[in-house]
Amino acid sequence: MAHRRCLQSLVRHATALISLKKPPTLSTFEPLTSTPNPAVTAPNLEPTWFTTWSHFRHFSSSKSDDSENEEEVEESSDGEAEEDDEAAADLGRDYSPEEKEAEAAAIGYKVVGPLQRSDRVFKDYEPVFAVVQIGSHQFKVSNGDSIFTERLKFCEVNDKLILNKVLLLGSPTQTVIGRPILPDAAVHAVVEEHALDAKVIIFKKKRRKNYRRTKGHRQELTKLRITDIQGIEKPEIKTDGKPLKAAIKEPEKVATTA
């Protein structure tokens, strides 16, 4: 089949070259019956090798398909541009103190103020834990723990925070469960740094549409250090100098008869 196709293409090229050497005379063209417009000049009707080419190309997609693909790409690019514009407008917006406090309370924290040199907020470990909610995430924390949350607005490094969405408090002697939160409980924290998470690659593709988009994203994070948990009785830590040892159960001896 391949040799036959090659021979057919060679024959077509040969006929095209032969026709160039012997162009047809103008007498072969039949005169037009309609009267020509004098304002419009007639084009040059000399035959070229294109006139003898009888092979037509057939494309898999039509013009309507190409227009639909262009419309889809334009719509997706418009949507991404609108999202970028909304994010930029949100970052450049000026908030009043009441709006800042209300939005921070909706997320689950309250900014107390900057940390002073005279403050002694870091304490020894206490056997108490709490489950707090910040935004849409929940964390189990104890005194001295550090957690990474999504970037918290309206706070800077070394600011003192109060996490007021406490869902549960626990100690070795008791457990307090909120419905859904505990109104009298609070978790104190300090902002240590604002950082960026590892890069995540976002790749979008639509097959047979010639649509590919690659983007990278690094999520902004805030590191918090837990300093105190309030709202539950804290047991006293015994400092006898001797570590507590778990009771070791001795294996029972079974008498065997000879």
Side-chain angles (χ1 to χ4, degrees):
M1 291 295 292
H3 294 291
R4 187 178 298 174
R5 289 174 184 172
C6 293
L7 291 174
Q8 289 177 357
S9 61
L10 289 174
V11 169
R12 288 171 184 170
H13 285 294
T15 53
L17 292 174
I18 293 169
S19 62
L20 287 175
K21 293 180 180 180
K22 296 181 180 180
T25 59
L26 295 177
S27 59
T28 57
F29 297 98
E30 296 181 358
L32 298 175
T33 55
S34 60
T35 57
N37 190 359
V40 179
T41 58
N44 188 11
L45 299 178
E46 293 182 0
T48 59
W49 67 278
F50 293 102
T51 56
T52 58
W53 187 260
S54 61
H55 179 67
F56 296 97
R57 294 183 179 180
H58 300 279
F59 295 95
S60 60
S61 60
S62 60
K63 293 183 178 180
S64 61
D65 297 337
D66 296 339
S67 61
E68 290 177 359
N69 298 342
E70 292 176 358
E71 290 176 359
E72 290 179 359
V73 173
E74 290 177 357
E75 288 177 359
S76 60
S77 60
D78 293 341
E80 294 174 357
E82 289 177 359
E83 292 177 359
D84 295 340
D85 294 340
E86 290 177 359
D90 194 11
L91 290 174
R93 178 185 171 187
D94 294 332
Y95 291 87
S96 63
E98 293 79 9
E99 290 178 347
K100 290 181 180 180
E101 186 175 357
E103 189 163 350
I107 296 173
Y109 69 97
K110 179 183 178 181
V111 181
V112 178
L115 185 66
Q116 303 297 332
R117 290 182 178 271
S118 59
D119 294 338
R120 297 291 182 266
V121 295
F122 299 101
K123 302 178 181 179
D124 296 333
Y125 173 76
E126 297 172 346
V128 176
F129 71 92
V131 177
V132 296
Q133 181 174 349
I134 304 174
S136 60
H137 301 277
Q138 297 179 4
F139 303 90
K140 180 185 176 182
V141 296
S142 297
N143 186 20
D145 291 349
S146 63
I147 58 174
F148 284 93
T149 68
E150 293 184 359
R151 179 69 157 82
L152 300 180
K153 299 187 291 185
F154 319 126
C155 64
E156 301 297 334
V157 179
N158 291 333
D159 279 355
K160 294 184 291 184
L161 305 180
I162 296 178
L163 309 177
N164 46 30
K165 285 189 177 181
V166 183
L167 307 178
L168 184 142
L169 289 174
S171 68
T173 57
Q174 61 177 338
T175 302
V176 185
I177 302 174
R179 298 183 179 179
I181 62 175
L182 297 170
D184 299 333
V187 176
H188 295 260
V190 175
V191 179
E192 287 195 347
E193 66 172 329
H194 295 298
L196 294 176
D197 199 2
K199 180 178 282 188
V200 179
I201 302 299
I202 300 98
F203 180 73
K204 299 180 182 179
K205 177 185 177 181
K206 295 180 181 179
R207 61 176 187 172
R208 298 192 296 272
K209 304 295 183 182
N210 195 20
Y211 177 84
R212 293 177 181 85
R213 297 292 183 273
T214 304
K215 285 187 177 182
H217 174 71
R218 297 189 68 185
Q219 180 64 39
E220 296 182 351
L221 301 176
T222 300
K223 184 180 180 182
L224 302 179
R225 178 73 64 176
I226 307 301
T227 58
D228 191 15
I229 297 174
Q230 296 179 354
I232 190 172
E233 296 180 1
K234 300 176 183 178
E236 296 180 359
I237 301 175
K238 296 180 181 181
T239 58
D240 297 337
K242 297 180 180 179
L244 297 176
K245 293 183 179 179
I248 300 174
K249 188 177 180 180
E250 296 180 357
E252 298 179 357
K253 295 181 179 180
V254 180
T256 59
T257 58

